[in-house]
């Protein structure tokens, strides 16, 4: 397997294992995620994609019995070191969820939520952040005249872009996306995919997807996870045209769940 | 077969009528009986001749004082405990023990709370028979209701809001105060109102913690003794043979109106908010 490496490694996993009590869900995964690249994680349902993704910003911390072994380095510091400030970590590693989940607040307040948490009070600054984030999320032109309308009044696709804008507003270095388009129609999905390609100019994107075409279209690297094992991890084109492992071949050609 | 099922359905409907109709009839009956005794003077003047003449203003004002004092005590403690249980408590044996205690507390007879309040607030803490002692006793009585209402309201807020907030670098406390509590507000407020309505009608807890049958003055502070509608009614019925019946009905009518107004108000408000809510 090619050890993906580059000058800008944002996340480095070394022999990471994750357990839910006795259940061994992620089995010794080692891989790198590069800056300004999109890494796709594919694999059948239950293979541990969400578990792996959520371990990167410690969103699984609250689950009793969850245990992580090995080393997960984000920008040189171990995510699971006892001294890590989880709150600060999550500001640097943003997340977009499968189902759009805007707060029942205005569009403006949704985007301004993160900066306000960090103590940003200046109206001028917040206005700037809101406009910049919504523009980055390709939503500005659709909502600029109704920033104070509820975020929940938007369509599903718009809501998801609002959630992306909200995540971008805290200026993360890594954006984790767990099936960000699986609840959307093809047109809205295409918009999210375009958006991902723009986002990678600024940050590292990690996307979990069930959609092979999506992984092939947008990602630079693809990791195939099966039963918690990293079967193959390589340049996306290589994975989809000349996979080394037979199981990868079976999966991408639809001969497996 | 079909008729057999229909018969069961009708039996259940009958049971429903038996549940709803008698109390409804009782409420109507009380209001009808109360009407002749209710007058401007009855509501807004002081009692005379041991309540046989004059009005019951101090009882109305006293009950309002009690509601106010109970709210001040029960709201921060009940909501705080509810937030802890729903959002922060680890899932362990101690938590489960506390939850069990809470459930059982709600079943403790109110006269026991009266004795508890008398021992702790009136005697041990030296608050004497006063609005303070009675309010704290009523707060203890209603605490389980407010804690439970708060927890229920918090559980009703989607998990995805918590995740979104945490993922943006919010602490758990920031998540609760800026996202979860505003969403749960309606449930907490209506739960508290319903608990207060229950407290407003209680006699036993205030019996020995500061209620008086007839007082010539309105309460001046939380340390004053006080009159209250349920206690006034109780004594009128049991201890004052000379009390004209329409005056007792009037007291009952006013108390019932107060309690129902709180309950109906809370319910209507909750329905309105529910219709407005988008998640
Ligand atoms: N909170 C949890 N407690 C216990 N086991 C869990 C928990 N969450 C997930 N699992 C188990 O861990 C395994 C991996 O789950 P995970 O959600 O990471 O899979 P996934 O690849 O994201 O699947 P999907 O494609 O369906 O989203 C599954 O067997 C699942 O049952
Ligand atoms: Mg998943």
């Amino acid at each position: 397997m090619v050890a993906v490496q580059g000058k800008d490694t944002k996340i480095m996993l070394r022999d990471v294992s994750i357990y839910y009590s006795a259940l061994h869900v992620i089995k010794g995964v080692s891989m790198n995620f590069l800056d300004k690249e999109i890494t796709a994680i594919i694999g059948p349902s239950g293979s541990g994609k969400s578990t792996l993704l959520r371990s990167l910003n410690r969103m699984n911390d609250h689950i009793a019995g969850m245990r992580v072994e090995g080393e997960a380095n984000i920008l040189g510091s171990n995510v699971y070191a006892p001294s890590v400030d989880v709150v600060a970590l999550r500001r640097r590693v943003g997340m977009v969820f499968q189902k759009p989940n805007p707060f029942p607040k205005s569009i403006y307040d949704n985007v301004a939520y993160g900066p306000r948490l960090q103590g940003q009070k200046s109206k001028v600054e917040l206005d700037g952040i809101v406009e910049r984030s919504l523009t980055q999320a390709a939503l500005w032109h659709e909502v600029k005249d109704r920033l104070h309308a509820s975020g929940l009044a938007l369509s599903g696709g718009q809501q998801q872009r609002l959630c992306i804008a909200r995540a971008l507003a805290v200026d993360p270095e890594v954006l984790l996306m767990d099936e960000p388009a699986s609840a959307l129609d093809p047109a809205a999905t295409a918009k999210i995919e375009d958006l991902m390609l723009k986002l990678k100019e600024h940050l590292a994107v990690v996307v979990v997807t069930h959609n092979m075409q999506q992984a092939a279209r947008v990602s630079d690297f693809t990791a195939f996870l099966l039963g918690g094992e990293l079967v193959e991890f390589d340049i996306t084109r290589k994975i989809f045209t000349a996979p080394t492992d037979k199981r990868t071949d079976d999966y991408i050609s639809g001969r497996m769940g | 077969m079909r008729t057999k099922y229909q018969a069961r359905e009708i039996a259940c409907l009958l049971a429903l009528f038996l549940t709803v109709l008698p109390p409804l009839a009782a409420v109507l009956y009380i209001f009808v009986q109360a009407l002749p005794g209710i007058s401007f003077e009855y509501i807004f003047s002081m009692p005379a001749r041991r309540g046989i003449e004059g009005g019951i203003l101090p009882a109305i004002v006293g009950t309002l004082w009690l509601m106010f004092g109970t709210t001040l005590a029960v709201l921060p403690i009940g909501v705080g405990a509810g937030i802890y249980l729903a959002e922060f408590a680890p899932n362990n044996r101690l938590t489960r023990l506390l939850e069990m205690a809470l459930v059982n507390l709600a079943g403790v007879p109110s006269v026991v709370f009266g004795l508890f309040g008398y021992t702790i607030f009136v005697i041990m803490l030296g608050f004497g028979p006063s609005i303070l002692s009675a309010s704290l006793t009523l707060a203890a009585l209603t605490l389980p209701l407010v804690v439970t209402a708060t927890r229920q309201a918090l559980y009703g807020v989607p998990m995805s809001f918590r995740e979104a907030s945490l993922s943006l670098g919010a602490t758990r406390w920031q998540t609760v105060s800026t996202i979860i509590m505003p969403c749960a507000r309606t449930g907490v407020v209506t739960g508290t109102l319903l608990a207060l309505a229950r407290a407003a009608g209680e006699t036993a807890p205030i019996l020995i913690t500061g209620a008086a049958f007839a007082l010539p003055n309105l309460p001046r502070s939380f340390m004053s003794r006080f009159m209250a509608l349920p206690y006034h009614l109780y004594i009128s019925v049991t201890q004052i043979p000379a009390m004209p019946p329409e005056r007792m009905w009037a007291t009952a009518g006013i108390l019932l109106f107060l309690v129902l107004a709180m309950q109906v108000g809370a319910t209507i408000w909750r329905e309105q908010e529910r219709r407005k809510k988008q998640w």
Side-chain angles (χ1 to χ4, degrees):
Chain A
M1 178 181 312
V2 181
V4 171
Q5 234 149 31
K7 50 186 177 344
D8 280 324
T9 301
K10 278 279 169 184
I11 304 176
M12 193 177 77
L13 305 183
R14 286 294 168 267
D15 204 19
V16 168
S17 279
I18 305 180
Y19 302 81
Y20 291 121
S21 302
L23 192 67
H24 193 175
V25 176
I26 294 293
K27 298 168 183 163
V29 167
S30 300
M31 65 189 291
N32 290 348
F33 298 89
L34 303 190
D35 196 18
K36 305 197 165 117
E37 306 278 10
I38 299 178
T39 307
I41 301 176
I42 60 170
S45 201
S47 56
K49 305 180 296 295
S50 298
T51 300
L52 184 64
L53 195 75
R54 293 164 67 92
S55 72
L56 301 179
N57 63 344
R58 292 185 57 168
M59 285 303 286
N60 281 342
D61 276 16
H62 67 280
I63 297 171
M66 200 272 317
R67 219 165 69 246
V68 177
E69 285 171 4
E71 209 184 315
N73 267 288
I74 295 195
L75 296 144
S77 57
N78 190 348
V79 179
Y80 285 89
S83 61
V84 161
D85 177 353
V86 180
V87 165
L89 167 75
R90 291 189 185 135
R91 283 178 193 154
R92 297 170 75 187
V93 184
M95 184 161 229
V96 176
F97 300 82
Q98 178 168 2
K99 222 171 126 259
N101 57 357
F103 300 127
K105 292 172 178 284
S106 72
I107 295 170
Y108 186 102
D109 289 342
N110 262 283
V111 182
Y113 182 73
R116 278 180 176 145
L117 285 177
Q118 296 180 37
Q120 182 57 265
K121 288 198 184 73
S122 149
K123 171 109 175 58
V124 184
E125 287 285 328
L126 285 174
D127 286 352
I129 293 172
V130 168
E131 174 166 355
R132 189 164 1 101
S133 309
L134 285 169
T135 307
Q136 278 185 329
L139 188 60
W140 175 250
H141 289 289
E142 289 161 63
V143 301
K144 65 173 186 287
D145 299 321
R146 47 171 173 149
L147 290 176
H148 296 283
S150 167
L152 290 164
L154 299 171
S155 75
Q158 288 173 325
Q159 285 189 14
Q160 193 61 307
R161 278 177 284 145
L162 175 60
C163 293
I164 294 173
R166 183 176 65 185
L168 293 176
V170 293
D171 211 9
E173 295 163 60
V174 177
L175 191 61
L176 309 174
M177 307 175 101
D178 195 348
E179 303 186 43
S182 68
L184 306 179
D185 66 37
T189 301
K191 277 196 183 141
I192 301 281
E193 288 179 8
D194 285 347
L195 182 53
M196 287 163 67
L197 291 171
K198 289 212 192 71
L199 291 180
K200 79 164 188 177
E201 292 167 17
H202 310 286
L203 36 76
V205 177
V206 184
V207 59
V208 166
T209 180
H210 271 287
N211 181 330
M212 292 306 124
Q213 288 82 16
Q214 184 170 72
R217 271 194 304 265
V218 301
S219 72
D220 303 289
F221 297 94
T222 298
F224 174 51
L225 216 54
L226 181 63
E229 271 175 64
L230 183 60
V231 173
E232 195 162 352
F233 177 42
D234 212 323
I235 297 167
T236 297
R237 191 165 19 84
K238 172 106 191 324
I239 293 273
F240 282 95
T241 54
T244 334
D245 197 292
K246 176 156 184 322
R247 291 169 294 174
T248 314
D249 198 12
D250 286 348
Y251 182 69
I252 58 170
S253 52
R255 286 191 293 269
M256 186 194 290
Chain B
M1 277 323 270
R2 183 157 182 181
T3 49
K4 198 166 150 199
Y5 284 122
Q6 270 174 350
R8 285 177 196 176
E9 204 179 309
I10 290 168
C12 289
L13 186 66
L14 213 65
L16 179 64
F17 276 125
L18 280 176
T19 316
V20 176
L21 285 185
L24 213 62
V27 167
L28 268 178
Y29 183 75
I30 291 172
F31 280 140
V32 170
Q33 293 287 321
L35 229 44
I38 295 179
S39 64
F40 186 83
E41 196 211 346
Y42 188 69
I43 295 178
F44 289 105
S45 63
M46 308 301 271
R49 292 192 54 222
R50 299 201 72 213
I52 294 169
E53 285 169 15
I56 55 159
L57 181 67
I60 297 173
V61 172
T63 289
L64 294 179
W65 267 87
L66 282 180
M67 294 301 92
F68 178 62
T70 305
T71 310
L72 283 187
V74 82
L75 209 55
I77 301 176
V79 172
I83 289 177
Y84 181 79
L85 278 177
E87 303 289 334
F88 296 99
N91 183 15
N92 60 22
R93 201 175 298 167
L94 180 66
T95 305
R96 280 193 291 278
L97 200 75
L98 286 171
E99 283 175 350
M100 215 166 67
L102 198 70
V103 171
N104 287 302
L105 215 55
V108 172
S110 59
V111 65
V112 176
F113 276 101
L115 286 171
F116 163 81
Y118 178 76
T119 314
I120 304 290
F121 304 126
V122 178
I123 305 294
M124 276 173 70
L125 294 176
F127 298 153
S130 60
I131 295 179
L132 181 63
S133 296
S135 295
L136 291 174
T137 308
L138 288 174
L141 176 86
T142 44
L143 255 175
L145 302 176
V146 175
V147 176
T148 305
T150 303
R151 285 177 70 195
Q152 233 68 46
L154 291 171
Y155 288 143
V157 180
M159 210 47 210
S160 64
F161 290 174
R162 293 182 183 81
E163 291 203 315
S165 175
L166 291 174
S167 79
L168 291 163
T171 61
R172 286 218 279 173
W173 177 249
Q174 285 172 325
T175 300
V176 169
S177 62
T178 58
I179 302 290
I180 310 303
M181 273 316 277
C183 290
R185 200 194 59 194
T186 313
V188 172
V189 172
T190 46
T192 306
L193 272 174
L194 294 178
L196 284 177
R198 157 99 201 273
E202 284 290 344
T203 311
I206 59 174
L207 195 67
I208 48 176
T209 53
F213 170 63
L215 290 171
N217 299 310
L218 295 180
R220 272 190 212 92
S221 76
F222 275 120
M223 300 318 286
S224 307
R225 293 201 66 158
F226 61 91
M227 285 176 68
L229 289 167
Y231 182 72
H232 185 78
L233 180 62
Y234 169 65
I235 298 297
S236 298
V237 173
T238 57
Q239 312 284 314
I240 318 285
M243 183 66 77
E246 71 272 13
R247 291 179 68 85
M248 296 193 261
W249 285 115
T251 307
I254 292 170
L255 175 60
L256 198 59
F257 176 78
L258 197 81
V259 170
L260 284 181
M262 276 158 74
Q263 288 184 342
V264 173
T267 312
I268 290 177
W269 187 61
R270 182 174 56 200
E271 287 313 308
Q272 272 176 351
E273 292 289 310
R274 192 170 284 169
R275 226 166 293 134
K276 265 194 281 174
K277 111 176 167 183
Q278 303 155 299
W279 39 272

